[in-house]
Amino acid sequence: MLKVENISKDFKVGFRKKTEKILDDISFYIKPKEVVSITGNSGSGKSTIARIISGTIKPDQGNIFYRGNLLISPNQSFSTEYRKDIQLIPQQPFLSLDPKQKVGDAIAETILAHGLSPSKKEAAQQVNALLEQVWLPCQLANRYPSQISGGQAQRIVIAKALALNPKLLIADESTSMLDILAQAQIIQILLNLMTKYGLSILFISHDKPLVQAFSNRIYHLSEGKLILQNKE
Amino acid sequence: MSDITKKIISSILCLAAIIIINFFLPRLMPGDPVLMLTGQNEESISAAQYQSFEEKLGINYPVSIQFKNYLVNLFSGDLGYSYHYNDTVANLMKNRIPNTLQLAIPSILLASILGMFLGCTMGYTKKQRLDKSVTTAFIIINAIPSFLLAMVIVTFFAFKLRLFPLGGLNSIVVPHHAILAFGDRIKHLILPISTIVLLSLPPKYMMVRNTVKSATKEKYVLYAKARGISSFRIKFVHIFKNVCPPFITLVGLNLAFVISGSMITEIIFSINGMGELLYEAAIYRDFPTLQGCFFIISIIVILANILTDITCVMVDPKQRFGFYESN
Amino acid sequence: MKKILSITGLTIDSQLMHGSHRIVNDLSFELEQGETLAIVGESGCGKTMTALSIFGLLPENCTASGTVTFDDCNLLSLREKELSRMRGIDFVLIPQSGADFLNPGLKVRTQIYETLKRTGIKDKRILEKTACDLLNSVSFQNPDSIMNKYPFQLSGGMAQRVVLAMGLTFSPKLVISDEPTRGIDSNTSMAYLKELTSVFSDSGIVIITHDISVADYCKNIFIMYAGECMEYGDCTRILNNPSHPYTKSLIAALPINGFSLNSRKASIPQDFLNTGCTFYPHCPQSTKKCQTDKPEKQIIDQTKVWCHHVKS
Amino acid sequence: MKNLKISLSIIVAICLFAIGFTGCSTQKTIDSMVIGTTMDIQSISRSDYYYNVLSGTLTHLALVRLDENNEIQPMMAEYSTADNGKTWTFVLKDGLKWDDGEKVTAEDVKFTIEYLDKMENAGRMDKLEAINIVNDQTIQLVYKTANIRALNDLTTLRIIPKHIFENVTDYAGFKDDAAAIGCGPYKFVRFDADAGVLEFEANPDYIGGKPNIKTINVKLFKNTDTMYMALKAEEIGMVYFYAGGIDPSAAADLKSSGNITLTEVQDTSNPLVLIFNNEKTPVNSLPVRQAIAKGIDYEKCRELFGSEYSIPSNYGFIPKSNEGYIDTAALKLDIDGAKKILSDAGAIDSNGDGILEINGTPLDLEILVRTDKPVYARVGELLQSNLKAIGINVILNSVDVPTFRSMTETEHTDVSMLSRFTSFGMNMGAGMSTSYLDGRLKSNAQGQIMDPAFASIVDKLKAATTMAEYDQAAKECQEYYAGSVPAIALYWDVYLQAYNSKYDNFTIDGTFGIVNQQTWYSISQK
């Protein structure tokens, strides 16, 4: 479904602007209904992969194909037609929520902005359905981000991404700051969604033992190189 | 291109814009440019005088040549001629800048040190009531108009208590001995400097206090406490270091204010300085002097900005060494 | 073995805008020299507050009552000055991730030196040597280059070890390690815990964590939920044979056990409840009694459990 | 203990005695006095306006001076006139010396007139036919036309040394100490810009003898409030501002401080004048002007804009202390009288809008005010409401200064305006304020009286060869003003001078007020 070919990315770092190769000629693929994980130490460039695939930054080299079509290349920005299909779940959910906006409204806003619902009323119904999907009670829609826990915020962000009926979810360290129970919930939810809607999930985490528990394939990123690891 | 180069280039562009505005403003403003540039509007001037001014100013030449002359003059240090003072603007400022600096430099230093010290102390203290009362006091001081504050200080310390002189930089009779003369000067400087310090302190204090207040919730402060580091060191080494960059920026921005904004203080304390020059120039519509002052002040602002940016980079190791964006 | 720390009836209340709020209720535990105790609970359960109350570093709006006996004196009744003299010497805090807890604006050298200076060393050369020794002892090959770096230039693991080295300065009697494993993968965290327990082998160690799997490295475990103790006892016993439903659900949710959950609602933030069992709203086994009565301490197999469903 | 008490009481007694003794005696010589001023003195250049003024009270002399009755008295020179005021001869007093020791000669006088004409466009040479040096001490000025009041102009001509200035081309930029060399009772010592102090010391060689004060310091203040504090704190002995007094609002406070004396000096200017343009409707009609003169609430005006010492003005408007002043009717609010005059002139309100019309033209009076003096706009508003009551509509037209000048002085757009008559301006030309009102003077006249009757009076003033002739013409002039109402002075005012009560016996001078060359010989200290 998604094919990443020979992606490279350099970053300029620091006051003297040294160039460092963050990603060096990496390739991998994701099939439908598959959980692919990328592990690596912090600073190894895992998030850069997530940001390239989600279209926030451009690669220096290489191409990314989505369903056989060229999605991203160094001179082609993200084509909007697929924007909805690929959704990023960021590491720090609170940063992507407006602290002055009720979480339900944040989801409804996404729905309305993409014209997925004809009216506000229906959008509200969709919000409730989405919250149900991520195991949250409907009442939570009326809370502000400061009134919910980290695990709940993460689930709100997943619900926001789900609103657009994506085909691929990129979870960037989505559970690393969560407690065990919350982490278990998120992973259960993601796995549920995968089977229910045929989603693919790109799970990015530093925690190898964690991803080994549920991934179809695991890649390890180290010094810019991506290596496929066999499941132990 | 590094950030500093970018900054310098934008400063040069800014300077160019200032020069252009300075040149065109009197020529585009309604009214006669000769009157504007000579500041002659109180006394009616005779036709002969008008003509001589016109020739001196070169107003009758085409604009391009005027502009060229203006630039040549500017770069040779000629900021124009004040017909109100019958002196070159450069000369006028040369006499006054030392006086203003005598006020400005100690004021900036004192206000910065005090702002930092009080801000750190009050932001860190557990004595809520003390913090609240000091902060409220500063808010009140900040709300007092500058001339009123200066007048209150003069009335109380100079007039009622007779502790300090009412104005000027020296006594009428300056003592001959160098140390006594220096003491005399210090005695005259204390009140005006205190006024400027009080005027420029509140924003500095508030900024430092609030930053420190939020920094006390930082993890590194908690850890430093847990390591048993003295609260003095936590305040003035640990938190200080991290409050520095925004503080330096604030002080840098404040520099130009202190130089031009000591206006009220200089007038109340009858000090022959830049602020007083600006004030008089504005009253008498002495445009050449006004323009000269603004030009110099803009240069100071630009320089202060560059300096601030460089200092910030020097102080902040993150900017100096660069860091990966944490993911 | 000598008893280092003994806490009885520790209760922490926090003053909020709308009244008082109980964060920690009636906790008791003790620690012996060389013992490692894990305090396990979800975020917000009050475990960090418990640690801070030992250090006397509770936020201003919080008050602690009960007794915290350390070295025969009640820490809660000490003055700030006396506490400050003990902090970092008699008991040290090893924070969760070194990089966040070190001052980003000061070099590692400065921060190690300022701790070292408390030993009375003034000579630059001796300072340097002692600091190098400390860093060597936490297996840094090149201590000098580490000391010239700023915390943000260190990797997470390096910063952790710097913090360990700083904790080692005064062979402390009590070490409290707050969330040593959050944000690092489980293999690394196990290695780190090993290092932690080995460098502080003579001290009593309290590990505060959300991850019940770290309990493998501890002698005793203390499981907290919403400010109250659920189960307290020997680690191996509890991990192999948990009695409390909450402990059970924690163990089940581990990756190794397939993230299984007893309840979908299990992680909704909990508040301390004045009546009944605090865990009853989320407990799969809850009954009417759980709702009305506080469970009494039950002792099963030397393990203390607070649950109505467990019979000794 | 007892000894201590005794010695203490002795000390106290001695102190009291000493205080009493010094307090009672009136000293003839005063060691020093500090004069506070807000005059903006930047340098000792002769072109520095306020320094030039100050030097006239201390270091520099003019040929003649005005005394407190505004009469001419000899100063540097005795004067005589011949040819009905066409030729004036001045004989310099014996022994006048410049501060550097050089003798003051007739050459210096000639040089000063010529030099200042060149450097300051003083315009004296245009009026002069010749300057004849009779001998070292005698100089003759021959005017083109006979002018009995030529001396008035010479009261402000401060003579400067030729040997210093003859090589000075940058007159304005000449700030050397030598620029301050004069021949008056005081010598310039120093100007300390940092301290804001000018120091003068008594000139021992001055022909008038040694003045009563040894050292005079002039302390420059940038704001009046601190200056008044310094006066109250006795840091300064008196405050002074040329052609101005203390702030009327500060008077009560200064008075109540107990150690300060306030003196009134008659203001010889007209601070607030409504000037009609006698050529333009509706004010080209005499009844309308007369009605307006009766329609203004002068009391309110003084209360709002004048000092508490201001006094009502009269129809002749030339202030009392001027040469040739006569009493004319006082200006008074008389609404019924104003209405009667207007209805007699045929003004009726036919459309009922409250504004009267004459021959169908409404009485719309446009008044020009300058934006740089906000008080004029407020006065304008007062006039608006006053005149509305008698059926005249006032339109205020606020313009900035350049526009004001071009409208009034260059274009002569025949509008009425609010302005002031300065003492100097009123004495210019033929005097009696004619330079403001004579319509023939296109250059700077504001009032535009084209009436031939007035022109003949002006000519008479100009042609006066004796003071009696001049006074007669002045009388006619003021009667003309009273009858034809070309301008209305809203009030007359005084300058308040404040000084420490320990000083006494100031002399008042027509040009400078209480600080002047004569004061230094009369002043005493308690």
Side-chain angles (χ1 to χ4, degrees), chain B residues 128-154:
Chain B
Q128 296 275 345
R129 202 174 281 172
L130 178 72
D131 171 35
K132 261 184 198 158
S133 46
V134 171
T135 306
T136 316
F138 274 110
I139 291 171
I140 291 170
I141 290 174
N142 203 25
I144 299 176
S146 46
F147 67 89
L148 184 63
L149 187 70
M151 276 317 293
V152 168
I153 288 176
V154 174

Side-chain angles (χ1 to χ4, degrees), chain B residues 231-303:
Chain B
S231 65
F232 180 84
R233 206 177 147 82
I234 293 177
K235 267 185 280 187
F236 296 112
V237 177
H238 284 255
I239 298 181
F240 175 81
K241 187 81 198 234
N242 290 289
V243 173
C244 250
F247 183 68
I248 289 169
T249 314
L250 187 72
V251 172
L253 288 176
N254 209 236
L255 197 69
F257 160 79
V258 172
I259 288 179
S260 61
S262 53
M263 188 189 280
I264 297 299
T265 317
E266 287 180 2
I267 287 159
I268 301 278
F269 290 95
S270 304
I271 289 167
N272 237 18
M274 285 286 286
E276 198 268 343
L277 182 68
L278 257 178
Y279 177 79
E280 292 276 315
I283 285 188
Y284 292 107
R285 302 187 175 200
D286 183 0
F287 285 98
T289 308
L290 276 180
Q291 279 182 301
C293 291
F294 286 142
F295 182 71
I296 293 294
I297 289 168
S298 342
I299 287 180
I300 292 173
V301 172
I302 289 172
L303 283 181

Side-chain angles (χ1 to χ4, degrees), chain C residues 152-173:
Chain C
F152 58 86
Q153 293 173 303
L154 301 174
S155 74
M158 285 158 109
Q160 281 277 21
R161 280 184 288 150
V162 168
V163 168
L164 271 188
M166 285 162 80
L168 268 174
T169 316
F170 304 85
S171 40
K173 291 179 192 144

Side-chain angles (χ1 to χ4, degrees), chain D residues 134-399:
Chain D
V134 180
N135 61 35
D136 226 18
Q137 268 175 266
T138 315
I139 187 166
Q140 208 173 45
L141 302 184
V142 183
Y143 283 82
K144 285 177 180 161
T145 53
N147 191 344
I148 190 68
R149 294 180 61 260
L151 292 179
N152 263 319
D153 170 50
L154 297 178
T155 56
T156 55
L157 176 75
R158 287 176 270 282
I159 307 300
I160 56 174
K162 184 184 178 186
H163 64 279
I164 302 283
F165 280 90
E166 60 189 342
N167 296 319
V168 175
T169 46
D170 181 15
Y171 167 73
F174 185 57
K175 295 167 182 175
D176 194 83
D177 277 3
I181 288 181
C183 55
Y186 282 90
K187 276 184 183 178
F188 168 80
V189 179
R190 69 190 171 103
F191 174 38
D192 181 347
D194 288 351
V197 170
L198 289 140
E199 189 180 326
F200 299 91
E201 63 176 13
N203 178 1
D205 301 332
Y206 185 59
I207 50 166
K210 263 191 104 170
N212 297 356
I213 303 173
K214 270 191 203 152
T215 310
I216 289 181
N217 284 297
V218 177
K219 176 111 178 91
L220 306 179
F221 287 86
K222 305 287 184 197
N223 83 96
T224 49
D225 297 304
T226 40
M227 182 167 75
Y228 298 149
M229 279 184 211
L231 181 67
K232 285 194 275 185
E234 308 201 338
E235 269 186 36
I236 57 177
M238 65 179 297
V239 297
Y240 177 64
F241 198 97
Y242 172 64
I246 61 160
D247 223 340
S249 59
D253 178 46
L254 288 176
K255 220 180 200 172
S256 68
S257 76
N259 57 352
I260 290 162
T261 305
L262 297 180
T263 315
E264 298 163 27
V265 175
Q266 187 60 48
D267 184 356
T268 48
S269 69
N270 271 310
L272 207 50
V273 193
L274 173 61
I275 306 160
F276 293 123
N277 245 295
N278 303 291
E279 293 304 302
K280 190 168 182 182
T281 47
V283 285
N284 58 355
S285 114
L286 179 61
V288 174
R289 297 202 295 268
Q290 285 172 331
I292 290 172
K294 284 184 187 292
I296 297 172
D297 189 347
Y298 300 99
E299 287 306 313
K300 192 88 192 158
C301 213
R302 278 171 50 214
E303 182 189 316
L304 289 175
F305 309 112
S307 76
E308 61 171 310
Y309 302 92
S310 58
I311 50 171
S313 164
N314 62 22
Y315 277 92
F317 76 75
I318 302 293
K320 272 190 179 132
S321 55
N322 276 48
E323 172 69 45
Y325 166 85
I326 59 158
D327 256 339
T328 46
L331 289 161
K332 253 195 297 209
L333 173 66
D334 176 12
I335 294 179
D336 296 334
K339 281 185 178 160
K340 187 171 180 299
I341 293 172
L342 286 174
S343 69
D344 286 351
I348 40 161
D349 182 11
S350 56
N351 54 9
D353 60 356
I355 305 303
L356 302 175
E357 293 106 34
I358 292 180
N359 302 330
T361 322
L363 296 178
D364 286 332
L365 171 61
E366 187 186 344
I367 298 179
L368 198 62
V369 290
R370 291 159 54 160
T371 46
D372 66 326
K373 300 242 163 83
V375 71
Y376 288 167
R378 291 180 53 213
V379 175
E381 280 158 15
L382 179 73
L383 293 182
Q384 216 164 22
S385 73
N386 281 175
L387 297 183
K388 183 127 198 178
I390 59 168
I392 294 175
N393 181 31
V394 171
I395 302 157
L396 287 179
N397 185 7
S398 290
V399 292

Side-chain angles (χ1 to χ4, degrees), chain A residues 179, chain C residues 5 7 10 24 27 29 36-55 92-97 160 174-182 192-193 196 205-212 214-215 218 220-224:
Chain A
D179 293 330
Chain C
L5 180 74
I7 291 179
L10 178 70
V24 167
L27 293 189
F29 60 86
T36 309
L37 170 74
I39 299 181
V40 178
E42 288 171 86
S43 51
C45 75
K47 56 192 193 299
T48 303
M49 285 298 174
T50 309
L52 291 181
S53 71
I54 299 171
F55 280 86
V92 298
L93 178 74
I94 306 291
Q96 54 174 271
S97 64
Q160 281 277 21
L174 171 65
V175 175
I176 296 179
S177 172
D178 190 12
E179 295 280 12
T181 61
R182 187 182 285 261
Y192 175 71
L193 282 176
L196 178 77
I205 304 176
V206 176
I207 292 173
I208 287 169
T209 180
H210 69 279
D211 186 353
I212 196 165
V214 307
C218 306
N220 283 325
I221 191 166
F222 186 89
I223 292 173
M224 275 179 83

Side-chain angles (χ1 to χ4, degrees), chain C residues 14 16 32 38 44 55 73 76 83 86 101 119-120 147 179 185 202-203 205 214-215 218 225 243 248 289 306:
Chain C
S14 134
L16 294 176
E32 285 174 357
F55 280 86
C73 61
L76 294 185
L83 269 172
M86 293 169 82
F101 281 81
T119 59
M147 284 203 285
E179 295 280 12
D185 70 83
D202 290 341
S203 323
I205 304 176
V214 307
C218 306
Y225 184 83
S243 323
K248 284 178 191 164
K289 197 182 176 198
W306 285 259

Side-chain angles (χ1 to χ4, degrees), chain C residues 271-283:
Chain C
D271 280 325
F272 167 77
L273 299 174
N274 279 318
T275 54
C277 173
T278 302
F279 187 57
Y280 95 85
H282 309 300
C283 184

